[in-house]
Amino acid sequence: MPAMTRWTFVDTTRALAVGSLLALIALGLAWELWLAPLRPGGSWWALKVLPLALPLAGLLKQRMYTYRWVSLLVWLYFTEGVVRATSDPDGFSAALAALEVLLCLLLFTACALHVRWRLKNAPPAATAAEAQG
């Protein structure tokens, strides 16, 4: 019989971070290629999701540094979402931008909670090492 593993808060925040990151990537591609591109037939703005693909491996491997810098990177996409939600004349595009804002907030919250929980529950020697990098 396989051993049962306990689902922890760290696993939950990791799943939320990875899920919201993948959702942001999918939304960015679908938005700029099919749903509401800036130009008919698709747009080069779909390349904006490339920086989001870089941290995926680090999040899956629970690298503390990756969670930290993703929590800063996400604010660029949050800003784009707020600007497009308030300035796009197309209501559908504005709704996609609002969804982007929500996903960014979820990603930031998951990353911040993940880092905080791991630092709070780490042994004292590990806390000093993780705090440095």
Side-chain angles (χ1 to χ4, degrees):
M1 193 159 67
M4 297 292 288
T5 58
R6 196 181 84 183
W7 189 260
T8 65
F9 186 75
V10 172
D11 295 328
T12 303
T13 56
R14 182 178 129 213
L16 285 173
V18 170
S20 58
L21 181 68
L22 289 173
L24 269 173
I25 292 169
L27 174 67
L29 287 174
W31 186 358
E32 297 300 343
L33 293 177
W34 302 289
L35 298 176
L38 290 175
R39 293 190 176 135
S43 159
W44 282 97
W45 277 105
L47 294 176
K48 72 182 178 187
V49 302
L50 285 179
L52 291 173
L54 296 174
L56 190 56
L59 292 182
L60 290 171
K61 294 177 183 176
Q62 293 189 11
R63 292 188 176 146
M64 183 78 78
Y65 182 74
T66 306
Y67 281 87
R68 288 177 174 170
W69 70 262
V70 167
S71 69
L72 299 174
L73 173 71
V74 72
W75 292 111
L76 294 173
Y77 296 89
F78 174 84
T79 303
E80 181 214 13
V82 168
V83 168
R84 290 184 75 173
T86 57
S87 64
D88 274 354
D90 179 20
F92 183 63
S93 183
L96 293 173
L99 178 59
E100 180 180 31
V101 167
L102 291 174
L103 288 171
C104 288
L105 290 174
L106 179 63
L107 178 58
F108 173 78
T109 303
C111 287
L113 289 175
H114 184 88
V115 169
R116 183 176 182 182
W117 188 261
R118 281 183 57 191
L119 287 176
K120 180 180 176 186
N121 294 310
T127 304
E130 283 186 348
Q132 293 178 354

